[in-house]
Every structure is written in structure tokens, then in C-alpha cells.
Amino acid sequence: YIPSMLPIRDENPTLRTPIVTWAIIAANVAAWMLLQGAGEPDQLAASVCELGLIPGELLHRLPVGTQIPMGRGWVCEVQAGNWLSPLTSMFMHGGWGHLLGNMWFLHIFGNNVEDSMTRPRFAVFYLLSGLAAAALQMFADPNSAVPMVGASGAISGVMGGYLVLFPRV
């Protein structure tokens, strides 16, 4: 028997319905469907350029008008920094696998972390984890022209919280 590296579930029961976790999953899926066209190439590229976090753009390290090649003929053009992009980027994804993988891990681990906190505290924890991840990425490469999207930073924070709260599970 070889154990799977992909978790299917955890063995921690919860006491409350994970309403915030479900709401975050719903918000990510809604953004994928409505803003990113469920991966339709033109809409996906436009959403990544407009709502993704480009460190060099936000930090004004790239000149306005700089063209960032996105492949297949798509180009992002640097605008004045979108100060909401650290938040909006947390709800954008690069593809179906990216979205499903992130939401799967949030579904498995988020319910227990949410159960251990108040619901508002969990929502704030999730958002702060994502913003901290974005800040670390910007610190690591402040001149980057690569758009950053996904909930991975926030979900890493949730998984770190799970590890701290349930070290033996």
C-alpha cells in the first residue's frame, strides 16, 4: 500500500458548518465563471492582466505602457498601479486545475481552521494570509512583470494554521 500524496479528506470532525469556507469557495468559482469566462482564452488573459498582481506595476517599478507578453499573442500593458490587485488577484486563477486544486485544499483544511475561530476571524485570517503572501512575493521580486493570480497564498496560510492547531493529525 502506497499512501496518496493528494489528501482526500482529513479525520478532524467539525462542530459548525463551514459557512465562510464555502463562501470563499463560491466567490472563487464565481470569479472564475463570471470574470474569467471559465477559462475562455481572451477573457482569461484580460482578467489576469487587469485583476492579477504585477509587482512592478503596483510598486511603480515598470514604466506605464510597458508591454508584458502573455503568450499566444496576448500582451498585458502596464497601467498606473491597481492598489486593489493584491486582493483581486486572490480570486483569479490560471486554469481549471489551478482553481480546483486550490478549492480542494481549502475545502479539506479550511473547515477545521474556521471551526477553531469565529467566522469573522477566519475570514480576516484568510484575507490577511493572502495579502501577506502577495507582499512576500513583491518583496522577493519588486521589479517583476509577471502577473500573479490565485488563492494559493491564502490557502497556504490556512494550511499553516491547520498545522499549528492540529499538529498530530
Side-chain angles (χ1 to χ4, degrees):
Y1 170 74
I2 299 174
S4 171
M5 292 302 292
L6 182 65
I8 297 172
R9 65 184 175 284
D10 67 351
E11 296 179 6
N12 266 349
T14 56
L15 301 173
R16 297 180 300 154
T17 303
I19 292 170
V20 174
T21 299
W22 291 351
I24 293 168
I25 291 170
N28 276 276
V29 171
W32 174 250
M33 301 301 283
L34 300 172
L35 300 174
Q36 298 193 279
E40 186 279 318
D42 291 332
Q43 203 168 343
L44 178 62
S47 69
V48 168
C49 289
E50 294 167 17
L51 300 169
L53 169 60
I54 302 172
E57 177 181 69
L58 184 65
L59 299 172
H60 305 287
R61 301 274 183 114
L62 296 172
V64 171
T66 299
Q67 302 234 325
I68 304 165
M70 295 282 292
R72 295 188 187 169
W74 293 298
V75 175
C76 288
E77 187 171 306
V78 172
Q79 308 293 317
N82 175 1
W83 61 273
L84 280 177
S85 65
L87 181 65
T88 59
S89 68
M90 292 176 7
F91 294 92
M92 301 293 108
H93 288 83
W96 278 104
H98 188 203
L99 173 72
L100 294 174
N102 276 337
M103 297 306 101
W104 183 254
F105 276 79
L106 179 58
H107 170 72
I108 290 174
F109 300 107
N111 61 348
N112 292 112
V113 177
E114 178 180 344
D115 203 32
S116 71
M117 303 177 172
T118 63
R119 289 184 174 121
R121 185 179 282 168
F122 177 71
V124 169
F125 176 74
Y126 178 87
L127 292 172
L128 288 178
S129 293
L131 293 173
L136 284 171
Q137 182 65 32
M138 287 191 300
F139 178 76
D141 192 358
N143 299 316
S144 176
V146 178
M148 188 170 72
V149 294
S152 302
I155 293 166
S156 294
V158 170
M159 292 177 67
Y162 187 93
L163 183 64
V164 167
L165 292 166
F166 310 104
R168 300 190 189 282
V169 176

